[in-house]
Amino acid sequence: MSKFCKLTGTKHMFGKQISHSNKKSSRLFKANIFKRRIFLINKNQFINIFISNKGLKTLDKHSFNIL
């Protein structure tokens, strides 16, 4: 299973790594993904989800709407 944020949909990205001599090779930029345990008030239970750092900030900002 590939890791991606369930809230924002953030995934890994592909790009180029450029050396000092300007050689270009492919590389993978990994997303800042964490596995977190979140409590849902309306269902009165915990869930485990993969969420990005931006998703955590969004969840904190709008926690009264989501929970």
Side-chain angles (χ1 to χ4, degrees):
M1 181 177 101
S2 64
K3 289 186 180 180
F4 66 95
C5 180
K6 300 288 185 184
L7 190 63
T8 61
T10 305
K11 294 195 253 183
H12 60 273
M13 292 178 15
F14 293 100
K16 298 290 184 183
Q17 183 174 357
I18 301 174
S19 68
H20 182 68
S21 62
N22 207 19
K23 289 183 180 178
K24 295 168 183 71
S25 57
S26 294
R27 64 160 289 183
L28 182 69
F29 293 95
K30 295 181 181 176
N32 195 9
I33 303 291
F34 305 101
K35 187 175 183 181
R36 289 289 181 247
R37 188 172 177 229
I38 296 175
F39 183 73
L40 297 177
I41 295 172
N42 55 357
K43 293 187 177 181
N44 200 21
Q45 67 180 5
F46 284 97
I47 58 167
N48 293 325
I49 61 170
F50 286 108
I51 191 164
S52 65
N53 196 21
K54 184 179 178 181
L56 280 173
K57 290 179 183 179
T58 304
L59 195 64
D60 288 340
K61 184 177 179 181
H62 301 290
S63 62
F64 59 92
N65 290 333
I66 295 173
L67 301 175

